[in-house]
Amino acid sequence: MGGNHHGHAHGHAASKGHSHGHGHSHGHSHGHGHGHSHAPASGHGRAFAIGVVLNSLFVAVEAGFGFVSGSMALVADAGHNLSDVLSLLIAWGASVLAARPPSQRFTWGFKSSSILAALANASLLLVALGAITVETVRRLVDPQPVAGGTVVIVALIGIVINTATALMFMRGRHDDLNVRGAFLHMAGDAAVSAGVVIAGLLIQRTGALWIDPVTSLVIVAFIFWGTWGLLKDSLKLGLLGVPPHIDEGAVRGFLLERPGVEAVHDLHIWPMSTTETALTAHLVMPGGCPGDGFLHDLSHGLEHDFGIGHATVQVERESDPGCALHSDGVV
């Protein structure tokens, strides 16, 4: 993450009585260290645009040839590709929304729309897989004649288009769950097309119609495995879980190792979007906050070591049992 972010920090420390929203007041010093990660406005906008156009054209061609040749396999695959076009549009829209500046109503901007899009795309993939499975099982029970030559040619075109689109999303698939979803959609489609080509050639050679649906079931199982991981990760982000690349214990240890820090409580780490992470914490420092330099170094360390780009800390002079947030069991 660090390669795409520009961290800066600012902070203040003052000794005064501070009233919490939880309805209690106690005297302490509090400091706020802010490190902000400015994710670039959609770096994949061009990839989304090209992917949508290419796949929309392919859906029209594939459906047309499917009806002309009487191949339900091609028609079904065209429906699956149409769901992928919709998923690309959802992911693209979310990336545009995430780049919008915050407002008085939405103080985080629309960054979390990328998490909602990842959830929607995982759900859409599962629905598409369900539809393909139903059609495949039906064809396994009642095999239909397949126009092998037409299927092979159209599927080869599909491999080229889907592979080219997937490659455009390959670079960012580890950093952004939304881009990973788009990559899985396109890579899955390329795998489907490859399976269709192999099945078409085998059917031409052997005449065994069961080869096509069996190949489809194997491909569906492969895509489901990747989709299940995407769904789990997007659900965790949707529930504001600590992002998978961050170890909460390591972050707590990092904070406790800072000079003058005696204890840490009310520590929260959550995703602002599929690429950005925020943190808040109370630090017990008997000697008080050393000043802005401490807060700057703290924010820089959190961003550099953990990819946490927006950190806010509150410094307390003593571990006051009156703090309603003192216990880790309280949110």
Side-chain angles (χ1 to χ4, degrees):
M1 288 183 64
N4 295 328
H5 303 313
H6 311 286
H8 64 274
H10 57 274
H12 64 266
S15 295
K16 61 180 181 181
H18 176 71
S19 177
H20 287 274
H22 295 271
H24 69 280
S25 176
H26 53 276
H28 59 253
S29 147
H30 47 124
H32 303 278
H34 306 277
H36 305 277
S37 286
H38 300 291
S42 176
H44 293 85
R46 187 163 170 266
F48 280 120
I50 294 172
V52 166
V53 171
L54 284 178
N55 283 275
S56 295
L57 290 173
F58 181 60
V59 164
V61 170
E62 188 174 34
F65 274 104
F67 284 118
V68 170
S69 66
S71 171
M72 279 308 298
L74 286 180
V75 174
D77 193 45
H80 174 228
N81 282 318
L82 180 61
S83 76
D84 286 348
V85 172
L86 294 176
S87 76
L88 284 176
L89 287 171
I90 291 172
W92 190 8
S95 70
V96 171
L97 282 175
R100 290 182 61 177
S103 64
Q104 289 183 328
R105 176 64 63 186
F106 297 96
T107 56
W108 286 112
F110 293 92
K111 294 180 182 299
S112 61
S113 61
S114 59
I115 297 174
L116 297 178
L119 268 171
N121 278 334
S123 303
L124 198 58
L125 257 173
L126 289 178
V127 170
L129 288 178
I132 293 172
T133 302
V134 169
E135 174 65 17
T136 301
V137 171
R138 188 187 68 78
R139 287 172 56 206
L140 193 59
V141 174
D142 181 24
Q144 299 293 320
V146 178
T150 302
V151 170
V152 168
I153 293 171
V154 176
L156 282 171
I157 296 172
I159 291 177
V160 173
I161 291 177
N162 290 313
T163 301
T165 309
L167 288 174
M168 290 189 290
F169 293 109
M170 181 177 282
R171 183 172 52 85
R173 74 188 190 282
H174 295 304
D175 301 323
D176 187 340
L177 201 61
N178 233 5
V179 174
R180 179 177 151 201
F183 172 78
L184 279 175
H185 274 282
M186 296 300 106
D189 280 354
V192 169
S193 296
V196 171
V197 169
I198 294 170
L201 292 173
L202 287 175
I203 289 169
Q204 281 183 313
R205 281 179 173 271
T206 66
L209 298 180
W210 60 265
I211 293 173
D212 183 58
V214 168
T215 304
S216 296
L217 285 177
V218 172
I219 294 169
V220 163
F222 171 75
I223 300 174
F224 177 80
W225 181 258
T227 303
W228 186 248
L230 175 67
L231 181 63
K232 285 197 300 182
D233 287 347
S234 55
L235 273 174
K236 287 175 185 175
L237 293 185
L239 292 170
L240 304 184
V242 177
H245 64 279
I246 296 176
D247 181 349
E248 191 267 359
V251 173
R252 186 180 293 272
F254 171 84
L255 294 174
L256 283 170
E257 289 169 1
R258 297 310 93 195
V261 176
E262 185 180 88
V264 175
H265 60 264
D266 196 33
L267 172 62
H268 298 285
I269 306 167
W270 73 97
M272 296 162 58
S273 70
T274 51
T275 58
E276 297 170 81
T277 306
L279 170 149
T280 58
H282 288 197
L283 304 183
V284 178
M285 302 183 70
C289 180
D292 287 358
F294 169 83
L295 298 171
H296 181 280
D297 292 344
L298 181 68
S299 295
H300 180 268
L302 286 170
E303 178 163 28
H304 181 269
D305 294 353
F306 303 101
I308 298 173
H310 190 113
T312 303
V313 299
Q314 176 171 296
V315 175
E316 300 172 357
R317 287 186 178 276
E318 57 186 48
S319 186
D320 187 347
C323 177
L325 303 174
H326 184 266
S327 169
D328 285 337
V330 176
V331 177

